[in-house]
Amino acid sequence: MSAVPARTRDLRFLVACIAVALALAGLVAYHASEEPDGLERVAADHGVDAAAADHALSGSPVADYELRGMGEGRAAVGLAGIAGVLLTLAVAAGVLALLRPGRG
Amino acid sequence: MHIPDGFFDGPTSLGAGGAAVAVLAVAARRTRAVLDDRQVPLAAVTAAFVFALQMLNFPVVSGTSGHVLGGALAAVLVGPWLGIVAVAVVVVVQALFADGGLTALGLNVLLISVVPATAGYAVFRALRAVLPDTPPAVVGAAATGAGLSVPLAAAAFTALYAVGGTAPVDLAAVAAAMIGTHVLIGIGEAVITGFVLTAVLASRPDLVHGAAGVIVRGPAAVPAGPVAG
């Protein structure tokens, strides 16, 4: 184990984590509970959502975590989830890279 | 579901936006010094992982589900400031998925990133101060912090709603329902946080910010992680 360079070990670990995240979003998320979450439930039960407005991006290709044009099944949710994980990874990496000293 | 447009009035939404930006600016400054070739990818992967976790709604009581917030987990993994930034990125990306109104972005950043990361990390540190320096103690402290962070965020939501909510509601009833439901969701958050942290500590304890100085398998202590936070 000590013969493996530190950077390789880091890369392997990070890739493994991303793989797990992709599996969770791409395969497991479809089976997640469809019930309204805590906020949505309470909002509906107590009238908190009386003035809720439609989302400006409800026309987005991944609105509600379903890839547009693929129905509401496994593929739609799975692909939207994968897109979200990768997009988050990219945006986070980009933002953090910009914050590094020497770039500001 | 994150807070949609229309739940809160303009001034409150704007104020929350300003507060969120201010906190993120502080977080950015605080993390600059530790953003190296290891922390940047680590925090980015943490953000991606939290995105995935937030998609996994679990049932809590009949008719209601919950999902992980992830702020406490992120704070323990990469430190509170980086954790706040990471989960804030998740919240912003989620708005593109029509989860969380665009005008509610500041509110969602505060309630899903800042409050849980801060409260969860504070509880974590308090517990670690009195517990032994072992991996199970780290997991227990993190799980407890995570579990409490959820109802605390729910309480914060209710307090904000009292100030700027748009619908006339019975605040006491909303508070009871929000906090009660989110105590249950917090149990799920605690369990999942504990599970994830256990897995990370088993493979790469040296990468866990909150595990600095922890004794792992015998007398060799984990080398201290980055000092930020």
Short mmCIF file of all heavy atoms in Angstrom, two decimals, chain A residues 9-10 13-14 17 21 32-33 35-41 46-49 51-53 55 57 60 62-65 80-81 84 88-89 96 99-101, chain B residues 1 5-7 32 35 37-38 41 43-45 47 51-52 55 57 63-65 82 94-100 157 161 166-167 169 177 203-204 207:
data_model
loop_
_atom_site.label_atom_id
_atom_site.label_comp_id
_atom_site.label_asym_id
_atom_site.label_seq_id
_atom_site.Cartn_x
_atom_site.Cartn_y
_atom_site.Cartn_z
N ARG A 9 -3.68 7.17 -4.86
CA ARG A 9 -4.61 6.73 -3.82
C ARG A 9 -5.77 7.70 -3.71
O ARG A 9 -6.93 7.30 -3.60
CB ARG A 9 -3.90 6.67 -2.46
CG ARG A 9 -2.93 5.52 -2.30
CD ARG A 9 -2.48 5.44 -0.84
NE ARG A 9 -3.58 5.08 0.04
CZ ARG A 9 -3.74 5.56 1.27
NH1 ARG A 9 -2.88 6.44 1.76
NH2 ARG A 9 -4.75 5.18 2.01
N ASP A 10 -5.45 8.99 -3.72
CA ASP A 10 -6.51 10.01 -3.65
C ASP A 10 -7.47 9.87 -4.82
O ASP A 10 -8.69 9.91 -4.65
CB ASP A 10 -5.90 11.41 -3.66
CG ASP A 10 -5.22 11.77 -2.35
OD1 ASP A 10 -5.25 10.93 -1.44
OD2 ASP A 10 -4.66 12.87 -2.25
N PHE A 13 -9.78 6.92 -4.55
CA PHE A 13 -10.81 7.13 -3.56
C PHE A 13 -11.90 8.04 -4.10
O PHE A 13 -13.09 7.77 -3.97
CB PHE A 13 -10.20 7.74 -2.29
CG PHE A 13 -11.21 8.06 -1.23
CD1 PHE A 13 -11.77 7.05 -0.46
CD2 PHE A 13 -11.62 9.37 -1.02
CE1 PHE A 13 -12.72 7.34 0.51
CE2 PHE A 13 -12.57 9.67 -0.06
CZ PHE A 13 -13.12 8.65 0.72
N LEU A 14 -11.49 9.15 -4.72
CA LEU A 14 -12.46 10.11 -5.24
C LEU A 14 -13.31 9.49 -6.35
O LEU A 14 -14.52 9.71 -6.42
CB LEU A 14 -11.75 11.36 -5.73
CG LEU A 14 -11.09 12.20 -4.63
CD1 LEU A 14 -10.30 13.35 -5.22
CD2 LEU A 14 -12.13 12.73 -3.65
N CYS A 17 -15.89 7.33 -4.83
CA CYS A 17 -16.99 8.11 -4.26
C CYS A 17 -17.93 8.60 -5.34
O CYS A 17 -19.16 8.58 -5.17
CB CYS A 17 -16.44 9.32 -3.49
SG CYS A 17 -15.58 8.88 -1.99
N ALA A 21 -21.92 7.83 -5.85
CA ALA A 21 -22.90 8.90 -6.03
C ALA A 21 -23.70 8.68 -7.32
O ALA A 21 -24.92 8.84 -7.33
CB ALA A 21 -22.20 10.26 -6.06
N ALA A 32 -36.80 5.79 -4.66
CA ALA A 32 -37.01 6.60 -3.47
C ALA A 32 -38.51 6.86 -3.27
O ALA A 32 -39.31 6.74 -4.18
CB ALA A 32 -36.27 7.93 -3.63
N SER A 33 -38.85 7.18 -2.06
CA SER A 33 -40.25 7.42 -1.73
C SER A 33 -40.82 8.56 -2.57
O SER A 33 -40.17 9.57 -2.81
CB SER A 33 -40.37 7.77 -0.25
OG SER A 33 -41.68 8.24 0.04
N GLU A 35 -43.67 9.99 -1.71
CA GLU A 35 -44.51 10.81 -0.84
C GLU A 35 -43.93 12.21 -0.74
O GLU A 35 -42.73 12.39 -0.86
CB GLU A 35 -44.57 10.19 0.57
CG GLU A 35 -45.07 8.76 0.60
CD GLU A 35 -46.58 8.67 0.50
OE1 GLU A 35 -47.21 9.68 0.14
OE2 GLU A 35 -47.13 7.61 0.78
N PRO A 36 -44.78 13.20 -0.48
CA PRO A 36 -44.25 14.55 -0.30
C PRO A 36 -43.31 14.61 0.88
O PRO A 36 -43.51 13.91 1.88
CB PRO A 36 -45.52 15.38 -0.04
CG PRO A 36 -46.59 14.42 0.31
CD PRO A 36 -46.24 13.13 -0.36
N ASP A 37 -42.27 15.41 0.78
CA ASP A 37 -41.35 15.47 1.90
C ASP A 37 -41.93 16.34 3.02
O ASP A 37 -43.00 16.95 2.88
CB ASP A 37 -39.95 15.92 1.48
CG ASP A 37 -39.87 17.37 1.06
OD1 ASP A 37 -40.75 18.18 1.41
OD2 ASP A 37 -38.88 17.72 0.39
N GLY A 38 -41.23 16.40 4.12
CA GLY A 38 -41.73 17.07 5.32
C GLY A 38 -42.28 18.46 5.06
O GLY A 38 -43.39 18.79 5.48
N LEU A 39 -41.51 19.27 4.34
CA LEU A 39 -41.93 20.64 4.08
C LEU A 39 -43.20 20.66 3.24
O LEU A 39 -44.17 21.37 3.56
CB LEU A 39 -40.81 21.40 3.37
CG LEU A 39 -41.20 22.79 2.87
CD1 LEU A 39 -41.57 23.71 4.02
CD2 LEU A 39 -40.06 23.41 2.06
N GLU A 40 -43.20 19.86 2.19
CA GLU A 40 -44.33 19.85 1.27
C GLU A 40 -45.61 19.39 1.99
O GLU A 40 -46.68 19.96 1.81
CB GLU A 40 -44.02 18.89 0.11
CG GLU A 40 -44.85 19.13 -1.12
CD GLU A 40 -44.34 18.34 -2.31
OE1 GLU A 40 -43.34 17.60 -2.17
OE2 GLU A 40 -44.96 18.46 -3.37
N ARG A 41 -45.45 18.37 2.83
CA ARG A 41 -46.59 17.83 3.57
C ARG A 41 -47.16 18.87 4.52
O ARG A 41 -48.35 19.15 4.55
CB ARG A 41 -46.11 16.59 4.35
CG ARG A 41 -47.10 16.06 5.33
CD ARG A 41 -47.86 14.90 4.77
NE ARG A 41 -49.17 15.30 4.31
CZ ARG A 41 -49.86 14.66 3.38
NH1 ARG A 41 -49.36 13.60 2.82
NH2 ARG A 41 -51.04 15.08 3.03
N HIS A 46 -51.20 22.76 6.24
CA HIS A 46 -51.46 23.96 7.03
C HIS A 46 -51.63 25.22 6.20
O HIS A 46 -51.58 26.32 6.73
CB HIS A 46 -50.34 24.15 8.05
CG HIS A 46 -50.27 23.06 9.08
ND1 HIS A 46 -50.90 23.16 10.29
CD2 HIS A 46 -49.68 21.85 9.05
CE1 HIS A 46 -50.68 22.03 10.99
NE2 HIS A 46 -49.95 21.23 10.25
N GLY A 47 -51.75 25.05 4.91
CA GLY A 47 -52.02 26.22 4.08
C GLY A 47 -50.82 27.09 3.79
O GLY A 47 -50.96 28.18 3.25
N VAL A 48 -49.64 26.60 4.13
CA VAL A 48 -48.43 27.38 3.88
C VAL A 48 -48.23 27.57 2.38
O VAL A 48 -47.67 28.58 1.93
CB VAL A 48 -47.19 26.67 4.51
CG1 VAL A 48 -45.90 27.27 4.01
CG2 VAL A 48 -47.27 26.74 6.02
N ASP A 49 -48.73 26.63 1.60
CA ASP A 49 -48.48 26.71 0.15
C ASP A 49 -49.55 27.46 -0.61
O ASP A 49 -49.64 27.36 -1.83
CB ASP A 49 -48.31 25.29 -0.43
CG ASP A 49 -49.57 24.45 -0.22
OD1 ASP A 49 -50.52 24.92 0.42
OD2 ASP A 49 -49.59 23.31 -0.72
N ALA A 51 -49.85 30.42 -1.51
CA ALA A 51 -49.43 31.38 -2.54
C ALA A 51 -48.26 30.87 -3.36
O ALA A 51 -47.61 31.64 -4.05
CB ALA A 51 -49.06 32.71 -1.87
N ALA A 52 -48.00 29.57 -3.30
CA ALA A 52 -46.85 29.04 -4.04
C ALA A 52 -47.02 29.29 -5.53
O ALA A 52 -48.10 29.12 -6.08
CB ALA A 52 -46.70 27.55 -3.78
N ALA A 53 -45.92 29.66 -6.15
CA ALA A 53 -45.97 29.95 -7.59
C ALA A 53 -45.25 28.85 -8.35
O ALA A 53 -44.39 28.16 -7.80
CB ALA A 53 -45.31 31.30 -7.85
N HIS A 55 -42.63 27.08 -10.75
CA HIS A 55 -41.20 27.33 -10.89
C HIS A 55 -40.90 27.91 -12.26
O HIS A 55 -41.42 27.44 -13.27
CB HIS A 55 -40.43 26.02 -10.69
CG HIS A 55 -39.01 26.23 -10.30
ND1 HIS A 55 -38.04 26.59 -11.22
CD2 HIS A 55 -38.39 26.13 -9.11
CE1 HIS A 55 -36.88 26.71 -10.58
NE2 HIS A 55 -37.05 26.43 -9.30
N LEU A 57 -38.34 27.56 -13.85
CA LEU A 57 -37.61 26.60 -14.70
C LEU A 57 -38.34 25.27 -14.80
O LEU A 57 -37.72 24.23 -15.02
CB LEU A 57 -36.20 26.39 -14.13
CG LEU A 57 -35.30 27.62 -14.13
CD1 LEU A 57 -33.94 27.27 -13.54
CD2 LEU A 57 -35.11 28.16 -15.54
N SER A 60 -37.45 23.21 -17.61
CA SER A 60 -36.07 22.71 -17.74
C SER A 60 -36.07 21.25 -18.17
O SER A 60 -36.96 20.50 -17.80
CB SER A 60 -35.34 22.89 -16.40
OG SER A 60 -34.52 21.78 -16.10
N VAL A 62 -34.51 18.91 -17.06
CA VAL A 62 -34.39 17.98 -15.94
C VAL A 62 -35.30 18.39 -14.78
O VAL A 62 -35.05 18.03 -13.63
CB VAL A 62 -32.93 17.87 -15.45
CG1 VAL A 62 -32.11 17.02 -16.36
CG2 VAL A 62 -32.32 19.24 -15.24
N ALA A 63 -36.36 19.10 -15.09
CA ALA A 63 -37.27 19.55 -14.04
C ALA A 63 -37.83 18.37 -13.26
O ALA A 63 -38.17 17.33 -13.84
CB ALA A 63 -38.41 20.36 -14.65
N ASP A 64 -37.88 18.53 -11.94
CA ASP A 64 -38.40 17.47 -11.08
C ASP A 64 -37.61 16.17 -11.19
O ASP A 64 -38.14 15.08 -10.97
CB ASP A 64 -39.89 17.19 -11.35
CG ASP A 64 -40.75 18.40 -11.01
OD1 ASP A 64 -40.41 19.09 -10.04
OD2 ASP A 64 -41.73 18.66 -11.74
N TYR A 65 -36.38 16.31 -11.54
CA TYR A 65 -35.46 15.16 -11.58
C TYR A 65 -35.93 14.07 -12.55
O TYR A 65 -35.74 12.88 -12.31
CB TYR A 65 -35.28 14.56 -10.17
CG TYR A 65 -34.74 15.55 -9.18
CD1 TYR A 65 -35.59 16.22 -8.31
CD2 TYR A 65 -33.38 15.84 -9.13
CE1 TYR A 65 -35.09 17.16 -7.41
CE2 TYR A 65 -32.88 16.77 -8.24
CZ TYR A 65 -33.74 17.42 -7.38
OH TYR A 65 -33.26 18.34 -6.49
N ALA A 80 -31.48 11.87 -15.20
CA ALA A 80 -31.50 13.20 -14.58
C ALA A 80 -30.59 13.22 -13.37
O ALA A 80 -29.85 14.18 -13.12
CB ALA A 80 -32.93 13.57 -14.19
N GLY A 81 -30.63 12.14 -12.60
CA GLY A 81 -29.79 12.04 -11.41
C GLY A 81 -28.31 12.07 -11.77
O GLY A 81 -27.50 12.77 -11.14
N GLY A 84 -27.30 15.45 -12.74
CA GLY A 84 -27.18 16.32 -11.57
C GLY A 84 -25.89 16.10 -10.80
O GLY A 84 -25.24 17.06 -10.38
N THR A 88 -23.14 18.99 -10.59
CA THR A 88 -22.73 19.49 -9.27
C THR A 88 -21.22 19.37 -9.12
O THR A 88 -20.56 20.29 -8.63
CB THR A 88 -23.43 18.69 -8.15
OG1 THR A 88 -24.85 18.78 -8.32
CG2 THR A 88 -23.06 19.23 -6.79
N LEU A 89 -20.69 18.24 -9.54
CA LEU A 89 -19.25 18.03 -9.47
C LEU A 89 -18.51 19.11 -10.25
O LEU A 89 -17.55 19.72 -9.75
CB LEU A 89 -18.92 16.65 -10.04
CG LEU A 89 -17.49 16.15 -9.91
CD1 LEU A 89 -17.13 15.94 -8.45
CD2 LEU A 89 -17.31 14.85 -10.68
N LEU A 96 -14.65 26.25 -6.75
CA LEU A 96 -13.55 26.13 -5.80
C LEU A 96 -12.21 26.43 -6.45
O LEU A 96 -11.33 27.03 -5.85
CB LEU A 96 -13.56 24.73 -5.19
CG LEU A 96 -14.77 24.46 -4.29
CD1 LEU A 96 -14.89 22.98 -3.97
CD2 LEU A 96 -14.69 25.27 -3.01
N LEU A 99 -11.69 29.98 -6.49
CA LEU A 99 -11.45 30.59 -5.19
C LEU A 99 -10.02 30.43 -4.72
O LEU A 99 -9.61 31.10 -3.78
CB LEU A 99 -12.39 29.97 -4.14
CG LEU A 99 -13.87 30.34 -4.22
CD1 LEU A 99 -14.64 29.57 -3.16
CD2 LEU A 99 -14.07 31.83 -4.04
N ARG A 100 -9.29 29.53 -5.37
CA ARG A 100 -7.94 29.27 -4.90
C ARG A 100 -7.07 30.50 -4.96
O ARG A 100 -7.21 31.31 -5.87
CB ARG A 100 -7.29 28.17 -5.75
CG ARG A 100 -7.78 26.79 -5.40
CD ARG A 100 -7.14 25.77 -6.28
NE ARG A 100 -5.74 25.58 -5.89
CZ ARG A 100 -5.01 24.54 -6.28
NH1 ARG A 100 -5.55 23.64 -7.08
NH2 ARG A 100 -3.78 24.42 -5.92
N PRO A 101 -6.14 30.63 -4.01
CA PRO A 101 -5.22 31.77 -4.03
C PRO A 101 -4.42 31.77 -5.32
O PRO A 101 -4.12 30.71 -5.87
CB PRO A 101 -4.30 31.55 -2.84
CG PRO A 101 -4.86 30.43 -2.08
CD PRO A 101 -5.88 29.72 -2.89
N MET B 1 -38.66 18.44 -1.66
CA MET B 1 -39.02 19.77 -2.13
C MET B 1 -38.29 20.82 -1.32
O MET B 1 -38.25 20.76 -0.10
CB MET B 1 -40.53 20.00 -1.98
CG MET B 1 -40.96 21.35 -2.51
SD MET B 1 -42.72 21.66 -2.23
CE MET B 1 -42.66 22.37 -0.59
N ASP B 5 -41.05 29.30 -5.03
CA ASP B 5 -41.40 30.72 -5.12
C ASP B 5 -42.77 30.92 -4.49
O ASP B 5 -43.63 30.05 -4.55
CB ASP B 5 -41.48 31.15 -6.59
CG ASP B 5 -40.15 31.04 -7.30
OD1 ASP B 5 -39.17 31.61 -6.79
OD2 ASP B 5 -40.08 30.38 -8.36
N GLY B 6 -42.96 32.08 -3.90
CA GLY B 6 -44.30 32.41 -3.42
C GLY B 6 -44.55 32.14 -1.95
O GLY B 6 -45.49 32.67 -1.36
N PHE B 7 -43.70 31.32 -1.32
CA PHE B 7 -43.90 31.05 0.11
C PHE B 7 -43.56 32.28 0.95
O PHE B 7 -44.19 32.51 1.99
CB PHE B 7 -42.99 29.89 0.57
CG PHE B 7 -43.61 28.52 0.45
CD1 PHE B 7 -44.54 28.24 -0.52
CD2 PHE B 7 -43.23 27.52 1.32
CE1 PHE B 7 -45.10 26.97 -0.64
CE2 PHE B 7 -43.78 26.24 1.22
CZ PHE B 7 -44.71 25.97 0.25
N ARG B 32 -9.94 29.89 1.30
CA ARG B 32 -8.91 30.15 0.29
C ARG B 32 -7.58 29.48 0.64
O ARG B 32 -6.95 28.85 -0.21
CB ARG B 32 -8.69 31.66 0.16
CG ARG B 32 -9.34 32.27 -1.04
CD ARG B 32 -9.25 33.77 -1.00
NE ARG B 32 -7.97 34.26 -1.49
CZ ARG B 32 -7.67 34.47 -2.77
NH1 ARG B 32 -8.55 34.20 -3.70
NH2 ARG B 32 -6.49 34.93 -3.12
N LEU B 35 -7.52 25.60 0.07
CA LEU B 35 -7.93 25.02 -1.22
C LEU B 35 -6.71 24.62 -2.02
O LEU B 35 -6.11 25.42 -2.72
CB LEU B 35 -8.79 26.02 -1.99
CG LEU B 35 -10.21 26.17 -1.47
CD1 LEU B 35 -10.95 27.27 -2.22
CD2 LEU B 35 -10.98 24.88 -1.58
N ASP B 37 -4.66 21.01 -4.08
CA ASP B 37 -4.98 19.95 -5.03
C ASP B 37 -5.75 18.80 -4.41
O ASP B 37 -6.24 17.93 -5.12
CB ASP B 37 -3.68 19.40 -5.65
CG ASP B 37 -3.10 20.38 -6.66
OD1 ASP B 37 -3.82 21.30 -7.06
OD2 ASP B 37 -1.92 20.21 -7.03
N ARG B 38 -5.81 18.78 -3.09
CA ARG B 38 -6.55 17.71 -2.45
C ARG B 38 -7.94 18.19 -2.03
O ARG B 38 -8.94 17.50 -2.23
CB ARG B 38 -5.78 17.21 -1.22
CG ARG B 38 -6.50 16.12 -0.47
CD ARG B 38 -5.66 15.60 0.67
NE ARG B 38 -4.88 14.45 0.26
CZ ARG B 38 -4.19 13.68 1.10
NH1 ARG B 38 -4.14 14.00 2.37
NH2 ARG B 38 -3.52 12.63 0.69
N PRO B 41 -10.82 18.85 -5.10
CA PRO B 41 -11.59 17.68 -5.55
C PRO B 41 -12.40 17.03 -4.42
O PRO B 41 -13.52 16.55 -4.66
CB PRO B 41 -10.53 16.72 -6.08
CG PRO B 41 -9.21 17.30 -5.77
CD PRO B 41 -9.38 18.68 -5.34
N ALA B 43 -13.86 18.46 -1.82
CA ALA B 43 -15.08 19.24 -1.58
C ALA B 43 -16.05 19.10 -2.76
O ALA B 43 -17.26 19.04 -2.56
CB ALA B 43 -14.73 20.71 -1.34
N ALA B 44 -15.51 19.06 -3.97
CA ALA B 44 -16.37 18.91 -5.15
C ALA B 44 -17.08 17.56 -5.12
O ALA B 44 -18.27 17.46 -5.43
CB ALA B 44 -15.55 19.07 -6.42
N VAL B 45 -16.35 16.52 -4.76
CA VAL B 45 -16.94 15.18 -4.68
C VAL B 45 -17.97 15.14 -3.56
O VAL B 45 -19.03 14.51 -3.68
CB VAL B 45 -15.85 14.10 -4.49
CG1 VAL B 45 -16.48 12.76 -4.15
CG2 VAL B 45 -15.01 13.98 -5.75
N ALA B 47 -19.83 17.60 -2.60
CA ALA B 47 -21.02 18.27 -3.14
C ALA B 47 -21.82 17.30 -4.03
O ALA B 47 -23.03 17.18 -3.90
CB ALA B 47 -20.62 19.52 -3.93
N PHE B 51 -25.64 15.84 -3.47
CA PHE B 51 -26.71 15.92 -4.49
C PHE B 51 -27.41 14.57 -4.61
O PHE B 51 -28.64 14.48 -4.60
CB PHE B 51 -26.14 16.35 -5.84
CG PHE B 51 -27.22 16.49 -6.90
CD1 PHE B 51 -27.75 17.74 -7.19
CD2 PHE B 51 -27.70 15.37 -7.59
CE1 PHE B 51 -28.76 17.87 -8.15
CE2 PHE B 51 -28.69 15.50 -8.54
CZ PHE B 51 -29.23 16.75 -8.83
N ALA B 52 -26.61 13.53 -4.72
CA ALA B 52 -27.18 12.18 -4.86
C ALA B 52 -27.98 11.80 -3.62
O ALA B 52 -29.10 11.28 -3.73
CB ALA B 52 -26.07 11.17 -5.09
N MET B 55 -31.51 13.03 -3.32
CA MET B 55 -32.53 12.43 -4.19
C MET B 55 -33.19 11.22 -3.56
O MET B 55 -34.18 10.72 -4.07
CB MET B 55 -31.90 12.00 -5.53
CG MET B 55 -31.57 13.15 -6.44
SD MET B 55 -30.98 12.57 -8.05
CE MET B 55 -32.49 12.00 -8.81
N ASN B 57 -35.33 10.06 -1.14
CA ASN B 57 -36.37 10.24 -0.13
C ASN B 57 -36.71 8.92 0.54
O ASN B 57 -36.87 7.89 -0.12
CB ASN B 57 -37.64 10.82 -0.78
CG ASN B 57 -37.50 12.30 -1.05
OD1 ASN B 57 -36.52 12.73 -1.67
ND2 ASN B 57 -38.45 13.08 -0.60
N GLY B 63 -47.63 8.94 4.41
CA GLY B 63 -47.93 10.14 3.66
C GLY B 63 -46.83 11.17 3.64
O GLY B 63 -46.98 12.23 3.04
N THR B 64 -45.73 10.87 4.32
CA THR B 64 -44.64 11.85 4.36
C THR B 64 -43.29 11.16 4.17
O THR B 64 -43.08 10.06 4.68
CB THR B 64 -44.62 12.59 5.72
OG1 THR B 64 -45.92 13.02 6.04
CG2 THR B 64 -43.68 13.79 5.69
N SER B 65 -42.42 11.84 3.45
CA SER B 65 -41.06 11.32 3.29
C SER B 65 -40.07 12.38 3.75
O SER B 65 -40.45 13.49 4.11
CB SER B 65 -40.79 10.98 1.81
OG SER B 65 -40.66 12.17 1.05
N LEU B 82 -16.02 25.02 3.97
CA LEU B 82 -16.07 24.31 2.70
C LEU B 82 -17.36 23.53 2.57
O LEU B 82 -17.93 23.39 1.49
CB LEU B 82 -14.88 23.35 2.56
CG LEU B 82 -13.75 23.77 1.65
CD1 LEU B 82 -12.72 22.66 1.54
CD2 LEU B 82 -14.24 24.14 0.26
N GLN B 94 -29.74 22.39 -7.84
CA GLN B 94 -31.09 21.84 -7.72
C GLN B 94 -32.15 22.80 -8.24
O GLN B 94 -33.21 22.37 -8.70
CB GLN B 94 -31.38 21.49 -6.25
CG GLN B 94 -30.65 20.23 -5.81
CD GLN B 94 -30.70 20.02 -4.31
OE1 GLN B 94 -30.69 20.98 -3.54
NE2 GLN B 94 -30.75 18.77 -3.89
N ALA B 95 -31.87 24.09 -8.16
CA ALA B 95 -32.82 25.07 -8.71
C ALA B 95 -33.00 24.84 -10.21
O ALA B 95 -34.08 25.07 -10.76
CB ALA B 95 -32.34 26.49 -8.43
N LEU B 96 -31.95 24.36 -10.89
CA LEU B 96 -32.04 24.07 -12.32
C LEU B 96 -32.94 22.87 -12.57
O LEU B 96 -33.45 22.67 -13.66
CB LEU B 96 -30.65 23.77 -12.89
CG LEU B 96 -29.63 24.90 -12.77
CD1 LEU B 96 -28.26 24.44 -13.27
CD2 LEU B 96 -30.08 26.13 -13.55
N PHE B 97 -33.11 22.05 -11.53
CA PHE B 97 -33.99 20.89 -11.62
C PHE B 97 -35.39 21.28 -11.10
O PHE B 97 -36.20 20.41 -10.79
CB PHE B 97 -33.42 19.73 -10.78
CG PHE B 97 -32.23 19.08 -11.41
CD1 PHE B 97 -31.01 19.74 -11.50
CD2 PHE B 97 -32.32 17.80 -11.93
CE1 PHE B 97 -29.92 19.14 -12.10
CE2 PHE B 97 -31.23 17.18 -12.51
CZ PHE B 97 -30.03 17.85 -12.60
N ALA B 98 -35.65 22.57 -11.02
CA ALA B 98 -36.92 23.10 -10.53
C ALA B 98 -37.20 22.64 -9.11
O ALA B 98 -38.37 22.51 -8.70
CB ALA B 98 -38.08 22.71 -11.47
N ASP B 99 -36.16 22.39 -8.32
CA ASP B 99 -36.32 22.05 -6.92
C ASP B 99 -35.82 23.24 -6.11
O ASP B 99 -34.62 23.43 -5.91
CB ASP B 99 -35.50 20.79 -6.59
CG ASP B 99 -35.83 20.22 -5.22
OD1 ASP B 99 -36.76 20.73 -4.56
OD2 ASP B 99 -35.16 19.25 -4.81
N GLY B 100 -36.76 24.04 -5.63
CA GLY B 100 -36.39 25.27 -4.94
C GLY B 100 -36.53 26.45 -5.87
O GLY B 100 -35.88 26.50 -6.92
N PHE B 157 -36.89 27.66 9.61
CA PHE B 157 -37.88 27.90 8.56
C PHE B 157 -39.12 28.55 9.16
O PHE B 157 -39.64 29.54 8.65
CB PHE B 157 -38.26 26.60 7.86
CG PHE B 157 -39.48 26.74 6.97
CD1 PHE B 157 -39.33 27.12 5.65
CD2 PHE B 157 -40.77 26.53 7.45
CE1 PHE B 157 -40.45 27.27 4.81
CE2 PHE B 157 -41.89 26.68 6.64
CZ PHE B 157 -41.72 27.06 5.31
N TYR B 161 -40.74 32.08 8.52
CA TYR B 161 -42.10 32.17 8.00
C TYR B 161 -42.94 33.13 8.83
O TYR B 161 -43.79 33.85 8.31
CB TYR B 161 -42.76 30.78 7.96
CG TYR B 161 -43.93 30.76 7.00
CD1 TYR B 161 -43.70 30.60 5.63
CD2 TYR B 161 -45.23 30.97 7.43
CE1 TYR B 161 -44.73 30.63 4.72
CE2 TYR B 161 -46.29 31.00 6.52
CZ TYR B 161 -46.04 30.84 5.17
OH TYR B 161 -47.06 30.87 4.27
N THR B 166 -46.11 34.22 3.33
CA THR B 166 -47.17 34.90 2.59
C THR B 166 -48.57 34.46 2.97
O THR B 166 -49.53 35.19 2.75
CB THR B 166 -47.01 34.69 1.08
OG1 THR B 166 -46.88 33.27 0.83
CG2 THR B 166 -45.77 35.40 0.56
N ALA B 167 -48.72 33.27 3.53
CA ALA B 167 -50.07 32.78 3.82
C ALA B 167 -50.38 32.94 5.30
O ALA B 167 -49.51 32.78 6.14
CB ALA B 167 -50.19 31.32 3.40
N VAL B 169 -51.30 31.62 8.48
CA VAL B 169 -51.36 30.26 9.03
C VAL B 169 -51.32 30.28 10.54
O VAL B 169 -50.96 31.29 11.15
CB VAL B 169 -50.19 29.38 8.50
CG1 VAL B 169 -50.23 29.26 7.00
CG2 VAL B 169 -48.86 29.95 8.97
N ALA B 177 -45.77 20.95 13.62
CA ALA B 177 -45.72 19.98 12.51
C ALA B 177 -44.35 19.94 11.87
O ALA B 177 -43.81 18.86 11.59
CB ALA B 177 -46.79 20.33 11.48
N SER B 203 -11.88 3.73 5.11
CA SER B 203 -10.95 3.69 3.98
C SER B 203 -9.92 4.81 4.01
O SER B 203 -8.73 4.57 3.86
CB SER B 203 -11.72 3.69 2.66
OG SER B 203 -12.71 4.69 2.67
N ARG B 204 -10.35 6.05 4.21
CA ARG B 204 -9.44 7.18 4.18
C ARG B 204 -9.71 8.14 5.33
O ARG B 204 -10.14 9.28 5.13
CB ARG B 204 -9.56 7.93 2.85
CG ARG B 204 -9.09 7.13 1.64
CD ARG B 204 -7.62 6.77 1.73
NE ARG B 204 -6.77 7.93 1.89
CZ ARG B 204 -6.29 8.68 0.88
NH1 ARG B 204 -6.60 8.37 -0.36
NH2 ARG B 204 -5.52 9.72 1.12
N LEU B 207 -8.55 11.80 5.26
CA LEU B 207 -9.21 12.83 4.46
C LEU B 207 -10.37 13.50 5.19
O LEU B 207 -10.97 14.44 4.66
CB LEU B 207 -9.74 12.22 3.15
CG LEU B 207 -8.69 11.71 2.17
CD1 LEU B 207 -9.37 11.12 0.94
CD2 LEU B 207 -7.74 12.82 1.76
#
